Amino acid sequence: MPIRIRPQTPTDEEKEAIWEALLKARSALGNALVYISDVLFALNLVKEDAFSEKDFFLCIERDWRVVINYPMMAGAKNLLSPDLFILFCAFLLYHEALHVLAAHFERQQHRQSTLWNISTDLEVNPTAIEIIEDASLRDFLTAILYFPEKYKLPPHMPAEYYYERLLTSGMQQLQKSGTIAVDMLSDKQSGGGQITELIRHALREKTARAILEHHKTKGTVPQGLLRWAQEFLKPKVNWREILRRHIHRRVLKATARGMDFTYLRPHKKTDWHKQPTAILPSQVAPDAKIGVIIDTSGSMSEKELGQAIAEVREICRGIGAFVHIIACDAAVQAVLTNWGNFLHRERLAKILKGGGGTVLTTGILYAQEKLKCNLAVVLTDAESCLLYTSDAADERSSVD
C-alpha cells in the first residue's frame, strides 16, 4: 500500500520537538559533511509557523530563509521512530542545501513555478538520498517523494531536463497517490539578514573547493555532490588551447626580439646565377627557452602530478624550443632539460620530488636567472601557493 502523510495540527510541545529535531539534524549533518557546513548553517532556519495543510515539509525563500510546515512535519513524525525522524530532518536540510548550491532560484527564469519546483526535486533527491543508509527510511522517502525512476526518467540530470520532459507529458503524470514535494521554492525575500548574490557565489565556490579537497584526501564524498562540485569548478574555456596559443605567441615574440643578421647563410634573394654585386645577409633567431615549474609540494596528489606530466609532454611536443622542467616545492628540487618534441614519461616522473611547502618564487627565479628562460609556465594546484615574495617582486618583470 502507498504511504500517505496526512497533515496534523501539532501541539506546542510537538512543535518544539520538531524544532529540536531539526537543530539536532543540522548539527549532526554539519559534523558528518563538514565540507557543506558553511552553506548548511547559512540557511536561516526560522521557528515560525506560516503554513497549514500544504503538501510540502519546508519552504525555502530566495534569500535562503527556511520556514517549517509543522502540520506536515507532525504527520511524518508520527510515522517514524525518533531516531529515524532526526535522519529524515537531516535529509530535508541536505535537500535544501543542494537547492541553494544548484542555484535553482537563479535558474528558474520564467518557468512555471509548480512544475519547476517538482523538477528541482527530481534533480536533487537522488543525490540527497545517498546519505541515508537505513533501508526502511530509504523506502519511506522513495515512496512519498519525487524521484526520476517513478516517471521512467534518468537520475542525476539537470532540472531543466526534467522540466521539459514533464512539460510535454503534462501534469497528469505527476498526480501519483502519495507523492509530495519536499519543499516549496518561494520567490519571497524577507529582507532581514539577506544573503547577497556575491556572498551566495562565494559560499558555493568555497563549498565546491572543500568538496574536491575532501575527495582528494579522504574520498568519502557522495557521488552526486562530487559531480556538482566538479561541474561548478569546471573551466568554462579550453585552458589547454589558451595555454598552447600563449606559449606559441611568447616563443615567437622572444625569437623576434633577438633577431639578428648573419652571412653564414646568405639571403635567398641573392642571385647566384649571375655574378652577385652584393651578398645579402639572412636573418637568424635565437633559440627560445621555456621554464616549466611543476609544483611538487605536499598538497599535490599523484593524480595532479600525472596531469602535470601530461601537460609538460604537450608543451614539449613540436614546440621547437629548449624546455627546462623544474620540480619545485619550497625550493628547486630537480631540473630536467629537454629539446625537441619527445619526453619520456618515466624520466620526467623520476624528478618530481619534494613534498614540502609551496614557494614557487624559487623556481621562477631559477628559470629567470640560472637558465635565462624567456617564458615561465607554472603548473600548480594553487593551494597555499606563494608565487612571489616581496624581495622578488621587482625582479619578476623580465620573465613572462
Side-chain angles (χ1 to χ4, degrees):
M1 292 180 60
I3 300 174
R4 182 71 177 178
I5 296 182
R6 301 184 183 280
Q8 299 180 14
T9 304
T11 63
D12 291 340
E13 291 77 11
E14 288 174 328
K15 288 183 180 180
E16 189 65 28
I18 292 170
W19 175 252
E20 290 296 328
L22 284 166
L23 294 183
K24 287 181 182 178
R26 179 160 68 170
S27 179
L29 188 61
N31 290 329
L33 307 180
V34 291
Y35 36 82
I36 67 164
S37 59
D38 287 329
V39 168
L40 195 62
F41 285 93
L43 297 175
N44 182 16
L45 190 61
V46 296
K47 199 173 182 179
E48 68 181 55
D49 184 4
F51 303 101
S52 59
E53 298 189 5
K54 293 184 180 291
D55 285 342
F56 53 83
F57 299 103
L58 301 173
C59 174
I60 183 167
E61 299 174 356
R62 181 176 286 271
D63 58 358
W64 295 16
R65 184 172 179 263
V66 180
V67 183
I68 306 166
N69 184 1
Y70 283 103
M72 284 296 291
M73 292 292 288
K77 185 175 182 296
N78 288 338
L79 296 177
L80 298 170
S81 68
D83 289 342
L84 286 185
F85 183 67
I86 292 178
L87 288 177
F88 175 74
C89 292
F91 170 86
L92 297 183
L93 294 172
Y94 184 36
H95 178 103
E96 303 303 344
L98 292 174
H99 272 315
V100 298
L101 287 174
H104 282 150
F105 284 106
E106 293 83 350
R107 289 162 52 189
Q108 180 176 355
Q109 298 176 350
H110 300 294
R111 295 182 175 91
Q112 197 271 336
S113 296
T114 302
L115 198 57
W116 176 250
N117 191 70
I118 296 172
S119 301
T120 59
D121 273 10
L122 292 173
E123 178 182 343
V124 304
N125 278 342
T127 297
I129 203 171
E130 290 178 0
I131 66 169
I132 303 300
E133 297 179 355
D134 186 274
S136 61
L137 183 57
R138 290 179 69 94
D139 292 341
F140 176 80
L141 293 171
T142 53
I144 66 171
L145 302 179
Y146 290 104
F147 282 88
E149 294 81 356
K150 285 187 175 182
Y151 310 103
K152 298 180 180 180
L153 295 171
H156 303 298
M157 299 297 287
E160 291 82 356
Y161 170 88
Y162 296 123
Y163 184 87
E164 294 301 323
R165 298 303 182 278
L166 297 178
L167 193 64
T168 56
S169 62
M171 290 291 291
Q172 291 182 352
Q173 187 183 5
L174 302 176
Q175 306 304 317
K176 291 201 171 188
S177 176
T179 304
I180 58 178
V182 170
D183 52 12
M184 178 180 72
L185 302 182
S186 172
D187 207 41
K188 176 184 175 183
Q189 296 190 98
S190 60
Q194 180 178 340
I195 299 178
T196 65
E197 183 59 36
L198 183 63
I199 295 176
R200 292 177 211 164
H201 182 79
L203 281 170
R204 290 180 185 121
E205 182 171 348
K206 182 180 179 182
T207 301
R209 295 191 184 280
I211 290 168
L212 295 185
E213 175 61 23
H214 190 87
H215 173 69
K216 183 171 72 172
T217 57
K218 299 185 179 178
T220 56
V221 177
Q223 287 300 308
L225 204 58
L226 179 61
R227 280 190 294 270
W228 169 82
Q230 291 170 335
E231 184 65 28
F232 184 84
L233 295 176
K234 186 177 180 180
K236 302 298 186 279
V237 295
N238 188 344
W239 64 268
R240 289 181 174 86
E241 181 61 29
I242 292 175
L243 176 63
R244 197 176 299 117
R245 288 204 307 264
H246 183 75
I247 291 174
H248 183 68
R249 184 170 63 249
R250 290 293 182 176
V251 167
L252 291 178
K253 182 179 178 181
T255 53
R257 188 185 300 159
M259 195 75 72
D260 200 359
F261 293 97
T262 179
Y263 284 95
L264 293 177
R265 178 180 294 177
H267 198 280
K268 62 182 180 180
K269 289 187 177 180
T270 300
D271 193 349
W272 294 102
H273 299 288
K274 300 179 181 178
Q275 183 67 27
T277 56
I279 298 178
L280 303 177
S282 62
Q283 290 184 311
V284 61
D287 293 323
K289 296 180 180 180
I290 300 175
V292 179
I293 296 94
I294 300 180
D295 179 3
T296 58
S297 63
S299 64
M300 289 285 284
S301 66
E302 291 293 331
K303 181 179 179 181
E304 288 169 330
L305 288 175
Q307 291 174 336
I309 291 174
E311 296 310 318
V312 170
R313 285 167 61 86
E314 188 65 30
I315 291 170
C316 293
R317 186 173 291 124
I319 201 169
F322 279 109
V323 178
H324 300 283
I325 298 98
I326 304 166
C328 180
D329 50 13
V332 174
Q333 299 295 332
V335 179
L336 176 64
T337 299
N338 179 74
W339 167 260
N341 62 359
F342 186 74
L343 180 65
H344 282 288
R345 183 184 182 91
E346 295 77 11
R347 187 183 174 198
L348 179 56
K350 288 180 180 179
I351 76 160
L352 297 184
K353 301 179 293 184
T358 312
V359 185
L360 300 180
T361 310
T362 54
I364 296 172
L365 292 180
Y366 189 92
Q368 174 188 355
E369 297 172 356
K370 302 291 185 181
L371 303 177
K372 307 299 181 184
C373 293
N374 311 103
L375 172 66
V377 178
V378 180
L379 301 176
T380 175
D381 60 357
E383 294 187 18
S384 303
C385 177
L386 179 59
L387 286 178
Y388 293 107
T389 61
S390 58
D391 295 335
D394 296 331
E395 303 178 36
R396 68 190 189 210
S397 57
S398 59
V399 59
D400 292 317

